[in-house]
Short mmCIF file of all heavy atoms in Angstrom, two decimals:
data_model
loop_
_atom_site.label_atom_id
_atom_site.label_comp_id
_atom_site.label_asym_id
_atom_site.label_seq_id
_atom_site.Cartn_x
_atom_site.Cartn_y
_atom_site.Cartn_z
N ASP A 1 -14.21 -2.18 7.16
CA ASP A 1 -15.08 -1.38 8.02
C ASP A 1 -15.19 -1.89 9.33
O ASP A 1 -15.91 -1.39 10.26
CB ASP A 1 -16.49 -1.22 7.36
CG ASP A 1 -16.39 -0.55 6.01
OD1 ASP A 1 -15.51 0.31 5.93
OD2 ASP A 1 -17.35 -0.79 5.20
N ASP A 2 -14.61 -3.17 9.67
CA ASP A 2 -14.86 -3.82 10.95
C ASP A 2 -13.57 -3.59 11.75
O ASP A 2 -12.47 -4.08 11.51
CB ASP A 2 -14.99 -5.34 10.62
CG ASP A 2 -15.39 -6.15 11.87
OD1 ASP A 2 -15.07 -5.62 13.05
OD2 ASP A 2 -15.86 -7.20 11.72
N ASP A 3 -13.87 -2.82 12.92
CA ASP A 3 -12.68 -2.60 13.74
C ASP A 3 -12.05 -3.80 14.38
O ASP A 3 -10.84 -3.90 14.65
CB ASP A 3 -13.13 -1.72 14.94
CG ASP A 3 -13.45 -0.31 14.54
OD1 ASP A 3 -13.11 0.05 13.38
OD2 ASP A 3 -14.07 0.45 15.34
N HIS A 4 -12.82 -4.90 14.59
CA HIS A 4 -12.23 -6.19 15.10
C HIS A 4 -11.31 -6.77 14.07
O HIS A 4 -10.31 -7.37 14.52
CB HIS A 4 -13.41 -7.04 15.48
CG HIS A 4 -14.21 -6.57 16.59
ND1 HIS A 4 -15.46 -5.95 16.38
CD2 HIS A 4 -14.06 -6.66 17.88
CE1 HIS A 4 -15.92 -5.65 17.51
NE2 HIS A 4 -15.12 -5.98 18.48
N VAL A 5 -11.59 -6.71 12.91
CA VAL A 5 -10.68 -7.25 11.88
C VAL A 5 -9.41 -6.47 11.69
O VAL A 5 -8.38 -6.97 11.71
CB VAL A 5 -11.44 -7.23 10.38
CG1 VAL A 5 -10.37 -7.53 9.31
CG2 VAL A 5 -12.59 -8.23 10.35
N VAL A 6 -9.53 -5.14 11.71
CA VAL A 6 -8.32 -4.28 11.80
C VAL A 6 -7.42 -4.63 13.00
O VAL A 6 -6.22 -4.80 12.78
CB VAL A 6 -8.66 -2.83 11.88
CG1 VAL A 6 -7.39 -1.93 11.95
CG2 VAL A 6 -9.57 -2.38 10.58
N LYS A 7 -7.93 -4.69 14.18
CA LYS A 7 -7.22 -4.99 15.39
C LYS A 7 -6.63 -6.39 15.38
O LYS A 7 -5.49 -6.73 15.74
CB LYS A 7 -8.13 -4.78 16.62
CG LYS A 7 -8.43 -3.35 16.87
CD LYS A 7 -9.39 -3.25 18.05
CE LYS A 7 -9.91 -1.79 18.08
NZ LYS A 7 -10.91 -1.70 19.16
N GLY A 8 -7.45 -7.27 14.87
CA GLY A 8 -7.09 -8.74 14.91
C GLY A 8 -5.90 -8.97 13.94
O GLY A 8 -4.92 -9.69 14.22
N VAL A 9 -5.96 -8.37 12.67
CA VAL A 9 -4.92 -8.57 11.66
C VAL A 9 -3.70 -7.84 12.12
O VAL A 9 -2.57 -8.45 12.11
CB VAL A 9 -5.40 -8.02 10.29
CG1 VAL A 9 -4.19 -7.94 9.36
CG2 VAL A 9 -6.43 -8.88 9.73
N HIS A 10 -3.80 -6.77 12.76
CA HIS A 10 -2.64 -5.96 13.35
C HIS A 10 -2.01 -6.88 14.42
O HIS A 10 -0.70 -7.00 14.35
CB HIS A 10 -3.01 -4.65 13.89
CG HIS A 10 -1.89 -3.91 14.50
ND1 HIS A 10 -1.01 -3.22 13.71
CD2 HIS A 10 -1.61 -3.70 15.82
CE1 HIS A 10 -0.10 -2.74 14.58
NE2 HIS A 10 -0.46 -2.87 15.82
N ALA A 11 -2.66 -7.43 15.27
CA ALA A 11 -2.11 -8.31 16.36
C ALA A 11 -1.42 -9.55 15.69
O ALA A 11 -0.35 -9.81 16.21
CB ALA A 11 -3.16 -8.67 17.30
N CYS A 12 -1.94 -10.11 14.74
CA CYS A 12 -1.49 -11.26 14.07
C CYS A 12 -0.15 -10.92 13.37
O CYS A 12 0.83 -11.74 13.48
CB CYS A 12 -2.39 -11.98 13.13
SG CYS A 12 -3.79 -12.83 13.80
N LEU A 13 -0.11 -9.80 12.70
CA LEU A 13 1.08 -9.43 12.02
C LEU A 13 2.26 -9.05 13.01
O LEU A 13 3.32 -9.50 12.77
CB LEU A 13 0.77 -8.17 11.09
CG LEU A 13 -0.08 -8.45 9.93
CD1 LEU A 13 -0.29 -7.14 9.08
CD2 LEU A 13 0.32 -9.60 9.08
N ASP A 14 1.94 -8.37 14.06
CA ASP A 14 2.85 -8.14 15.17
C ASP A 14 3.39 -9.45 15.74
O ASP A 14 4.59 -9.56 15.94
CB ASP A 14 2.21 -7.31 16.27
CG ASP A 14 2.17 -5.86 15.97
OD1 ASP A 14 2.64 -5.42 14.97
OD2 ASP A 14 1.53 -5.15 16.76
N GLU A 15 2.57 -10.34 16.00
CA GLU A 15 2.93 -11.63 16.60
C GLU A 15 3.79 -12.42 15.63
O GLU A 15 4.85 -13.05 15.97
CB GLU A 15 1.88 -12.54 17.12
CG GLU A 15 1.08 -11.88 18.34
CD GLU A 15 1.97 -11.90 19.53
OE1 GLU A 15 2.87 -12.74 19.75
OE2 GLU A 15 1.81 -10.86 20.26
N ALA A 16 3.44 -12.44 14.32
CA ALA A 16 4.20 -13.19 13.30
C ALA A 16 5.65 -12.62 13.21
O ALA A 16 6.64 -13.39 13.08
CB ALA A 16 3.51 -13.10 11.93
N ARG A 17 5.60 -11.29 13.29
CA ARG A 17 7.09 -10.69 13.16
C ARG A 17 7.80 -11.01 14.48
O ARG A 17 9.14 -11.22 14.38
CB ARG A 17 6.94 -9.10 13.11
CG ARG A 17 6.48 -8.65 11.74
CD ARG A 17 6.43 -7.20 11.65
NE ARG A 17 5.85 -6.59 10.54
CZ ARG A 17 4.62 -6.10 10.47
NH1 ARG A 17 3.95 -6.00 11.61
NH2 ARG A 17 4.01 -5.69 9.28
N ALA A 18 7.25 -11.03 15.61
CA ALA A 18 7.89 -11.35 16.87
C ALA A 18 8.47 -12.78 17.02
O ALA A 18 9.59 -12.95 17.43
CB ALA A 18 6.93 -11.07 18.03
N VAL A 19 7.75 -13.70 16.44
CA VAL A 19 8.19 -15.11 16.48
C VAL A 19 8.97 -15.45 15.28
O VAL A 19 9.66 -16.54 15.34
CB VAL A 19 7.03 -16.15 16.70
CG1 VAL A 19 6.34 -15.80 18.01
CG2 VAL A 19 6.06 -16.04 15.60
N GLY A 20 8.98 -14.71 14.23
CA GLY A 20 9.65 -15.05 13.01
C GLY A 20 8.65 -15.35 11.89
O GLY A 20 7.89 -16.28 12.10
N LEU A 21 8.77 -14.76 10.85
CA LEU A 21 7.81 -14.92 9.74
C LEU A 21 7.89 -16.37 9.13
O LEU A 21 6.93 -16.84 8.65
CB LEU A 21 7.90 -14.00 8.68
CG LEU A 21 7.83 -12.51 9.12
CD1 LEU A 21 8.14 -11.52 7.96
CD2 LEU A 21 6.34 -12.13 9.55
N ASP A 22 9.11 -16.99 9.23
CA ASP A 22 9.36 -18.29 8.61
C ASP A 22 9.13 -19.44 9.60
O ASP A 22 9.29 -20.54 9.30
CB ASP A 22 10.69 -18.37 7.96
CG ASP A 22 10.85 -17.38 6.75
OD1 ASP A 22 9.79 -17.25 6.03
OD2 ASP A 22 11.99 -17.00 6.51
N SER A 23 8.83 -19.11 10.88
CA SER A 23 8.65 -20.14 11.89
C SER A 23 7.21 -20.65 11.61
O SER A 23 6.35 -20.05 11.02
CB SER A 23 8.75 -19.65 13.29
OG SER A 23 7.75 -18.75 13.56
N VAL A 24 7.02 -21.87 12.23
CA VAL A 24 5.59 -22.57 12.15
C VAL A 24 4.64 -21.55 12.73
O VAL A 24 3.49 -21.34 12.25
CB VAL A 24 5.61 -23.88 12.86
CG1 VAL A 24 4.22 -24.48 13.01
CG2 VAL A 24 6.62 -24.83 12.09
N SER A 25 4.87 -21.07 13.91
CA SER A 25 3.94 -20.07 14.54
C SER A 25 3.80 -18.79 13.73
O SER A 25 2.66 -18.33 13.73
CB SER A 25 4.47 -19.76 15.98
OG SER A 25 4.49 -20.84 16.80
N GLY A 26 4.79 -18.25 13.26
CA GLY A 26 4.65 -17.08 12.37
C GLY A 26 3.72 -17.32 11.13
O GLY A 26 2.94 -16.51 10.87
N ARG A 27 3.91 -18.41 10.48
CA ARG A 27 3.09 -18.78 9.37
C ARG A 27 1.55 -18.98 9.77
O ARG A 27 0.72 -18.60 9.10
CB ARG A 27 3.60 -20.01 8.63
CG ARG A 27 4.95 -19.69 7.97
CD ARG A 27 5.37 -20.81 6.99
NE ARG A 27 5.41 -22.07 7.64
CZ ARG A 27 6.58 -22.60 8.21
NH1 ARG A 27 7.70 -21.93 8.07
NH2 ARG A 27 6.58 -23.80 8.83
N ARG A 28 1.46 -19.39 10.96
CA ARG A 28 0.05 -19.74 11.49
C ARG A 28 -0.59 -18.30 11.72
O ARG A 28 -1.73 -18.19 11.43
CB ARG A 28 0.07 -20.48 12.82
CG ARG A 28 -1.20 -20.94 13.34
CD ARG A 28 -1.13 -21.88 14.56
NE ARG A 28 -0.61 -23.16 14.01
CZ ARG A 28 0.44 -23.83 14.66
NH1 ARG A 28 0.81 -23.37 15.84
NH2 ARG A 28 0.88 -24.99 14.22
N PHE A 29 0.12 -17.43 12.36
CA PHE A 29 -0.46 -16.09 12.58
C PHE A 29 -0.77 -15.40 11.18
O PHE A 29 -1.75 -14.72 11.13
CB PHE A 29 0.54 -15.23 13.30
CG PHE A 29 0.62 -15.38 14.80
CD1 PHE A 29 1.80 -15.83 15.43
CD2 PHE A 29 -0.51 -15.19 15.57
CE1 PHE A 29 1.85 -16.12 16.78
CE2 PHE A 29 -0.56 -15.46 16.95
CZ PHE A 29 0.66 -15.87 17.57
N LEU A 30 0.11 -15.60 10.16
CA LEU A 30 -0.27 -14.94 8.91
C LEU A 30 -1.46 -15.55 8.32
O LEU A 30 -2.27 -14.93 7.68
CB LEU A 30 1.05 -15.15 8.00
CG LEU A 30 2.21 -14.30 8.35
CD1 LEU A 30 3.43 -14.65 7.44
CD2 LEU A 30 2.03 -12.86 8.45
N ARG A 31 -1.60 -16.93 8.40
CA ARG A 31 -2.86 -17.63 7.87
C ARG A 31 -4.01 -17.10 8.53
O ARG A 31 -5.02 -16.94 8.07
CB ARG A 31 -2.71 -19.12 8.02
CG ARG A 31 -1.84 -19.83 7.00
CD ARG A 31 -1.96 -21.27 6.96
NE ARG A 31 -1.87 -21.90 8.24
CZ ARG A 31 -0.68 -22.30 8.72
NH1 ARG A 31 0.48 -22.23 7.94
NH2 ARG A 31 -0.54 -22.97 9.83
N THR A 32 -3.88 -16.80 9.85
CA THR A 32 -5.06 -16.39 10.66
C THR A 32 -5.51 -15.01 10.17
O THR A 32 -6.55 -14.66 10.00
CB THR A 32 -4.67 -16.38 12.16
OG1 THR A 32 -4.38 -17.73 12.64
CG2 THR A 32 -5.87 -15.89 13.01
N ALA A 33 -4.45 -14.14 9.96
CA ALA A 33 -4.73 -12.80 9.59
C ALA A 33 -5.41 -12.80 8.09
O ALA A 33 -6.42 -12.17 7.94
CB ALA A 33 -3.47 -11.99 9.43
N ALA A 34 -4.88 -13.63 7.25
CA ALA A 34 -5.48 -13.77 5.96
C ALA A 34 -6.92 -14.30 6.05
O ALA A 34 -7.84 -13.90 5.27
CB ALA A 34 -4.63 -14.67 5.03
N GLY A 35 -7.17 -15.28 6.87
CA GLY A 35 -8.48 -15.83 7.05
C GLY A 35 -9.54 -14.78 7.61
O GLY A 35 -10.62 -14.70 7.25
#
């Protein structure tokens, strides 16, 4: 129900895909989205 969560998770997933899901930065973005 929180628009900020929707936008934040979407941004994190986009960035994770851009840098590579298996990279250190990609995994950090995924952890942030999950958090």
Side-chain angles (χ1 to χ4, degrees):
D1 293 335
D2 187 341
D3 290 347
H4 294 96
V5 170
V6 176
K7 292 174 187 176
V9 170
H10 178 72
C12 286
L13 296 180
D14 280 351
E15 291 298 323
R17 288 184 190 105
V19 299
L21 298 174
D22 292 327
S23 70
V24 171
S25 294
R27 289 190 305 268
R28 187 172 295 136
F29 280 118
L30 293 177
R31 280 194 309 272
T32 300

